[in-house]
């Protein structure tokens, strides 16, 4: 499939698809996907390493969006020996809980409750909102490719917002601090399941694997206007399942149409088969009666209208 849009930078910082690049549409399911541009001359090994870098950075950014919002609302994470619901500590342990002007108790007991305040919360939300839009699947619908440099820009914005709120830095055990330092900081979090190893990850397309000793052109041909759907996955997983013929949205539309049709057929089956015979248009003598002046059982005199 060729891509006919010229290369230009969008307001979100994404690159619109070039008409002279190979486009790899990486899908992990219906809800997680992104576009990446390469060339026929690039080695498959280099491509896979870049795709893994983008995948891991997207997971990092997505995790930080949620973690930053928690930080803004409930403050830094507590040390392991200090964790617990503040209300319980005050009531049953006679502990004195430090509360700032922006205190909002963390129901999980993992954070101090001392948030950043309304103004800085707005900064955090703006940064997270922009990052979320960049890693969302809407970029695919908008035909915008993702780049590692743009993802690093989003991370830099997040890092700047945290520094603005906490000039002295966050505790070394805080999930936000760990995730901002590197992808390795995601260990032990749900986001870690999405991480891949650049040395062992596999890229598949149309049931065939991209061999690292080949080029993209060896695998897809020499047409620089090619666009393919590919799967990036962990090793030894085997060929991925084929893409569904219809998407979830299309399937829902088909089911809605089928249900509506079933209801219409049900109403027709319940209706009286001879009911239409009572309609005026179904009277076989309607034309004759009209010509002879018979309307509603009454006879009209010639030239007289009722």
């Amino acid at each position: 499939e060729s891509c006919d849009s010229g290369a230009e930078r969008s307001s979100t910082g994404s690159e619109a698809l070039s008409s002279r690049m190979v486009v790899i549409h990486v899908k992990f399911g219906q809800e997680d996907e992104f576009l990446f541009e390469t060339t026929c001359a690039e080695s498959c090994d280099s491509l896979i390493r870049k795709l893994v870098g983008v995948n891991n950075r997207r997971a990092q950014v997505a995790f930080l969006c949620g973690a930053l919002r928690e930080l803004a609302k409930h403050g830094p994470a507590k040390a392991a020996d200090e964790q617990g619901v503040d209300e319980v500590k005050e009531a049953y342990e006679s502990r004195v809980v430090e509360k700032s002007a922006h205190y909002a108790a963390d129901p999980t007991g993992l954070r101090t409750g001392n948030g950043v305040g309304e103004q800085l919360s707005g900064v955090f939300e703006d940064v997270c909102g922009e990052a979320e839009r960049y890693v969302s699947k809407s970029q695919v619908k908008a035909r915008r490719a993702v780049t590692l440099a743009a993802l690093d820009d989003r991370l830099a914005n997040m890092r700047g917002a945290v520094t603005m709120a906490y000039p002295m830095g966050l505790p070394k055990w805080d999930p936000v601090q760990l995730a901002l330092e590197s992808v390795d900081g995601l260990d032990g979090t749900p986001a870690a399941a999405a991480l891949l190893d650049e040395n062992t990850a596999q890229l598949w397309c149309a049931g065939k694997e991209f061999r690292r000793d080949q080029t993209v052109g060896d695998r897809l041909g020499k047409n620089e206007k090619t666009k393919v759907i590919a799967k990036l996955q962990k090793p030894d997983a085997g060929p991925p399942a084929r893409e569904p013929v219809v998407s979830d949205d299309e399937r829902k539309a088909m089911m809605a149409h089928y249900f509506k049709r079933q209801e219409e057929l049900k109403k027709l089956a319940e209706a009286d088969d001879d009911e239409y015979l009572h309609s005026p248009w179904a009277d076989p003598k309607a034309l004759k009666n009209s010509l002879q002046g018979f309307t509603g059982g009454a006879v009209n005199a010639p030239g007289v209208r009722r």
Side-chain angles (χ1 to χ4, degrees), residues 75-229:
K78 299 177 182 178
D81 58 349
E82 294 291 331
Q83 293 178 357
V85 178
D86 291 345
E87 186 178 354
V88 174
K89 287 185 175 183
E90 291 176 323
Y92 299 99
E93 300 178 14
S94 300
R95 301 280 292 274
V96 177
V97 177
E98 180 182 351
K99 299 181 180 180
S100 70
H102 308 299
Y103 178 80
D106 182 6
T108 66
L110 300 178
R111 294 186 174 276
T112 63
N114 297 315
V116 300
E118 183 177 353
Q119 183 175 359
L120 285 174
S121 290
V123 174
F124 275 43
E125 185 58 38
D126 290 343
V127 169
C128 291
E130 182 190 7
E132 277 183 332
R133 287 189 294 272
Y134 189 73
V135 299
S136 73
K137 68 175 186 178
S138 63
Q139 296 292 87
V140 174
K141 294 181 180 180
R143 294 167 57 84
R144 298 192 182 104
V146 175
T147 66
L148 192 59
L151 288 167
D152 287 339
D153 287 344
R154 271 65 185 181
L155 279 178
N157 292 340
M158 291 178 168
R159 195 175 289 111
V162 171
T163 302
M164 187 185 305
Y166 299 95
M168 302 302 293
L170 292 170
K172 60 182 180 181
W173 56 78
D174 193 289
V176 172
Q177 179 64 30
L178 294 172
L180 283 174
E181 289 177 354
S182 72
V183 174
D184 295 335
L186 298 179
D187 289 345
T189 69
L195 300 181
L196 297 170
D197 186 344
E198 66 175 14
N199 295 312
T200 60
Q202 295 178 340
L203 184 66
W204 290 77
C205 173
K208 294 184 179 180
E209 183 182 358
F210 281 69
R211 290 173 47 187
R212 288 180 181 258
D213 59 349
Q214 294 181 330
T215 65
V216 175
D218 293 334
R219 178 65 183 82
L220 300 178
K222 304 303 181 180
N223 185 1
E224 293 284 1
K225 297 182 180 181
T226 301
K227 179 180 178 182
V228 297
I229 297 177

Side-chain angles (χ1 to χ4, degrees), residues 29-41:
Q30 295 295 328
E31 299 301 322
D32 189 12
E33 54 189 326
F34 65 89
L35 300 178
F36 188 82
E37 291 183 324
T38 184
T39 64
C40 292

Side-chain angles (χ1 to χ4, degrees), residues 49-98:
R49 291 179 184 276
K50 289 179 180 179
L51 290 176
V52 168
V54 169
N55 171 74
N56 292 351
R57 193 73 84 243
R58 289 176 76 248
Q60 186 181 8
V61 168
F63 171 80
L64 280 168
C65 286
L68 278 176
R69 290 186 173 106
E70 287 296 310
L71 174 64
K73 185 175 182 181
H74 298 299
K78 299 177 182 178
D81 58 349
E82 294 291 331
Q83 293 178 357
V85 178
D86 291 345
E87 186 178 354
V88 174
K89 287 185 175 183
E90 291 176 323
Y92 299 99
E93 300 178 14
S94 300
R95 301 280 292 274
V96 177
V97 177
E98 180 182 351

